[in-house]
Amino acid sequence: MYRRVPWTPLAISIIVVLSSAFAVSPIRDAASLADVSEAYLLRPLGYVVLAPMSDVLDTLTLLSARQHVALLLAVVVCFTLWRVARATRASATRRQHLLATAALVVAIVLVYAAAAVLPRPMAALVSDNADIARIDFHSHTSASHDGRPGWSAESNRAWHRDGGYDVAYITDHGTVAAAERGMVQNPSPAGEGVILLQGIEVTWTGEHVAILSAERRYRGILTENLRDVDEQSLRLASLISGREPVVIWNHPHQLTRLPVASGPGTPGVRGIEVSNGAPDSRDEVGRRRAAIVALAEKKNLTMTGGSDNHGWGSTAPNWTLMLIFGWRGMSPDSLASTIDDVVRKGGFGGTRVVERRVADGTTNLALAFTLFSAPARMLTTLSNDERTSWLIWIWLITATAWWLHRRRAPAA
């Protein structure tokens, strides 16, 4: 009787059910880490039906680079211990060990490939306030050197639509061509679909910054190759009060390296990224979160979030909420101008950045437990519908395995 009990699916089911006692919201304020009241995460039907796959791939996509390393190392260690234990209990040939190792490698490659390129339903941010615009200030197309091949402006638009965005800035490296093509297809008024706006990501004394509407509203503030900021030109362009170029500091490294605009008619950074979706940048921004927020408050900088999406993955990591009355009836150009004004004048309280809640990976101790903390955080953010889907899949797979086993078993 003991051997007939399906202990593994039973244990997983118990964990899924018990995790509901520790349930938390799947989103949080990126600055304060508190819950968010003006928006919620909507999982479409397809996402819920495929909840085990959706949740696992989302969790994997939202890990930082160091968490990925820690997770893979932990998997390798556990696999090695399992093979050693298997060898001590029963003789195992070298061929069996090699086959098991090959199966592990193939499984890891397939899971990561699925997270990166598999088309699937996306969880989206929803707000009941029609005057709140959900914005991504940092995204890319294949025009960037590290963009996914074939990732066009319209692919970018579709990804943002599925992720619950109203506005997305295409901030490619060294070019605005894709962003300009995307703007041609913008709906009007703005509330009729996802609005693509133009920006560019360049370097400034070693730091990455995004300049909104560069080479459109502000020409000549970059070097000829469109790769760096021309400081003298930026200074001159900033002399006109209310028309200063909007510079946003992307995934900052050294918080003392760039000048901060000190008011109207002055050059410098006016916004700073407090949440970034790229795995390597998530490490940097996460460890400096408190310092970034403190700088933004002290210097009255507008906080922004950027997916930093290059066409890989189907998970929206963050959204910037901006209250703009009547934005849905504006033209795309008017909306772009209004967003510029909010960044210039709104300062620290002008936006709210919302991000997906993930396991902590900012300390070495937290990294050491990624194998356990990442699944635990995933389970505590599940909705009741997702838990139900998990239980259905667990026992559907168990019943199918039992039926196949009975078919292969010899007749009594």
Side-chain angles (χ1 to χ4, degrees):
M1 188 65 181
Y2 175 83
R3 295 179 61 185
R4 290 189 176 190
V5 175
W7 292 108
T8 298
L10 183 61
I12 297 175
S13 299
I14 292 174
I15 292 172
V16 169
V17 173
L18 290 181
S19 65
S20 63
F22 307 94
V24 295
S25 172
I27 58 174
R28 66 184 183 184
D29 186 298
S32 66
L33 306 185
D35 288 342
V36 176
S37 59
E38 62 265 46
Y40 59 93
L41 194 69
L42 176 67
R43 291 89 156 181
L45 178 61
Y47 186 99
V48 173
V49 169
L50 302 173
M53 181 190 74
S54 301
D55 297 324
V56 169
L57 295 184
D58 272 11
T59 297
L60 194 64
T61 305
L62 292 170
L63 293 180
S64 69
R66 296 204 307 164
Q67 284 177 311
H68 281 293
V69 174
L71 177 65
L72 292 175
L73 286 177
V75 168
V76 170
V77 169
C78 291
F79 173 80
T80 302
L81 293 175
W82 172 62
R83 295 308 301 177
V84 170
R86 185 75 180 269
T88 57
R89 287 181 305 171
S91 60
T93 64
R94 178 177 297 181
R95 181 174 181 273
Q96 289 174 323
H97 286 305
L98 291 175
L99 287 176
T101 302
L104 175 67
V105 172
V106 170
I108 291 174
V109 170
L110 289 178
V111 169
Y112 270 86
V117 301
L118 183 67
R120 55 190 177 87
M122 291 177 63
L125 191 75
V126 176
S127 176
D128 293 329
N129 188 339
D131 289 318
I132 290 180
R134 300 156 294 178
I135 306 172
D136 182 3
F137 280 93
H138 185 178
S139 70
H140 297 270
T141 68
S142 58
S144 292
H145 65 277
D146 46 359
R148 178 177 174 178
W151 191 252
S152 65
E154 291 309 307
S155 300
N156 182 295
R157 192 195 306 274
W159 185 92
H160 282 94
R161 181 190 61 241
D162 293 344
Y165 296 90
D166 300 306
V167 180
Y169 281 88
I170 295 181
T171 55
D172 282 323
H173 302 278
T175 178
V176 296
E180 290 290 344
R181 287 195 295 270
M183 292 186 69
V184 173
Q185 301 298 323
N186 275 338
S188 187
E192 295 297 320
V194 175
I195 299 297
L196 297 182
L197 296 179
Q198 187 254 51
I200 191 169
E201 186 171 11
V202 297
T203 57
W204 187 5
T205 65
E207 295 285 341
H208 283 238
V209 296
I211 302 180
L212 309 187
S213 300
E215 298 303 300
R216 169 176 277 259
R217 195 173 289 125
Y218 312 106
R219 293 182 179 274
I221 61 174
L222 303 176
T223 55
E224 290 186 7
N225 60 3
L226 303 184
R227 294 286 179 179
D228 301 279
V229 171
D230 185 319
E231 292 193 32
Q232 183 176 356
S233 298
L234 177 63
R235 190 178 303 111
L236 292 174
S238 301
L239 291 176
I240 304 175
S241 179
R243 294 282 297 174
E244 307 91 345
V246 176
V247 181
I248 296 177
W249 198 344
N250 288 347
H251 45 83
H253 295 272
Q254 295 185 21
L255 295 179
T256 58
R257 184 176 283 174
L258 291 183
V260 175
S262 57
T266 61
V269 172
R270 298 182 182 274
I272 191 167
E273 207 170 58
V274 72
S275 180
N276 183 285
D280 54 345
S281 298
R282 190 178 290 119
D283 273 328
E284 300 169 359
V285 175
R287 292 197 299 271
R288 298 180 177 87
R289 186 191 305 269
I292 292 172
V293 174
L295 176 65
E297 184 173 16
K298 180 180 179 181
K299 300 293 187 179
N300 197 31
L301 292 173
T302 299
M303 292 185 294
T304 67
S307 68
D308 206 355
N309 182 270
H310 289 69
W312 308 103
S314 297
T315 307
N318 53 51
W319 305 258
T320 304
L321 305 186
M322 186 176 286
L323 183 63
I324 304 175
F325 294 104
W327 71 267
R328 293 179 182 275
M330 296 180 180
S331 68
D333 287 339
S334 295
L335 178 58
S337 179
T338 303
I339 292 173
D340 284 355
D341 288 338
V342 173
V343 175
R344 291 191 193 99
K345 303 173 184 178
F348 185 71
T351 60
R352 186 169 193 177
V353 181
V354 177
E355 66 180 7
R356 291 288 294 270
R357 194 184 296 268
V358 295
D360 178 50
T362 57
T363 66
N364 291 333
L365 181 61
L367 286 173
F369 290 93
T370 300
L371 180 63
F372 308 102
S373 62
R377 174 53 69 215
M378 176 192 71
L379 291 173
T380 58
T381 59
L382 298 182
S383 65
N384 290 334
D385 290 341
E386 286 174 289
R387 293 184 200 281
T388 301
S389 180
W390 269 81
L391 295 176
I392 291 173
W393 276 104
I394 289 169
W395 291 104
L396 181 62
I397 293 173
T398 301
T400 302
W402 175 83
W403 180 74
L404 291 175
H405 176 73
R406 289 294 301 268
R407 286 200 62 181
R408 289 196 302 265

